[in-house]
Amino acid sequence: MTDVVVDVVLPCLDEAEALPWVLGRFPEGFRPIVVDNGSTDGSREVARSLGAVVIREPQRGFGAACHAGLSAAVAQVVCFCDCDASLDPRQLPRVAAPVLDGSADLVLGYRRPIARGVWPLPGRLANRELVRRIRGRTGFRVRDLGPMRAARRVDLLALGLADRRCGYALEMLVRAVDAGWRVREAEVDYLPRLGRSKVTGTLRGFRQAVQDMSAVLTR
């Protein structure tokens, strides 16, 4: 694709139900790279049938999938987006624009729930505690560790991100701030997800996320 401006990494684990909606809303110039992380519901076949680039990452973990997608990307600017329909790909341009025009090095999508119940209280409270700890660790004030984000591919690779589980997105922000990057937020809609959350949807997933992120903040 010679008209690709931005590659978009979509970590995927059993998201066959959400993929048609997600991939059907991609804006022109944004290429979806679906990173299958061990799906058993036909996600790979669905993604391919809808025109996405599909790669497989056998090492389980959100960070492993994200980094595999980053390594496979070729565009100068790379976005990350959840694959469960909780984020609208039509809003990727507002997140990527400050990176594309050179006014920011990393842009985080600040999630704004569109309806009551989209972001349950336990999740909001956990996010508030996380951003408080981020301020304590870095001095940087952020409202949300948003899963929709954008940065330049070469710069991201140079950060040397090591986490391959739930701390990947947090490590990206911490290392970016430590490196003096210009970090901005852009407001994006937060929608009802399709399917069960892989983190907050299970006690094991939630505990793993807490452990991984705590490890990042103490480095």
Side-chain angles (χ1 to χ4, degrees), residues 53-123:
V53 174
V54 179
I55 63 174
R56 300 177 73 171
E57 174 48 59
Q59 179 182 348
R60 292 292 287 268
F62 176 77
C66 286
H67 205 72
L70 173 61
S71 300
V74 296
Q76 292 187 4
V77 173
V78 175
C79 286
F80 296 83
C81 183
D82 281 352
C83 203
D84 58 6
S86 63
L87 298 167
D88 189 345
R90 293 185 306 179
Q91 297 179 345
L92 284 164
R94 73 173 64 167
V95 176
V99 178
L100 289 167
D101 68 23
S103 62
D105 302 309
L106 174 64
V107 179
L108 308 177
Y110 168 49
R111 293 170 290 180
R112 296 299 300 269
I114 65 166
R116 185 185 299 273
V118 171
W119 200 350
L121 181 60

Side-chain angles (χ1 to χ4, degrees), residues 7 18 24 51 59 67 95 99 114 131 135 140 151 162 175 182 192 202:
D7 276 329
Q59 179 182 348
H67 205 72
V95 176
V99 178
I114 65 166
V131 299
R135 287 197 298 269
F140 181 74
R175 292 205 176 192
R182 296 165 299 167
T202 67

Side-chain angles (χ1 to χ4, degrees), residues 115-132:
R116 185 185 299 273
V118 171
W119 200 350
L121 181 60
R124 295 200 307 272
L125 292 177
N127 187 70
R128 289 176 188 172
E129 174 61 17
L130 178 59
V131 299
R132 184 191 68 79

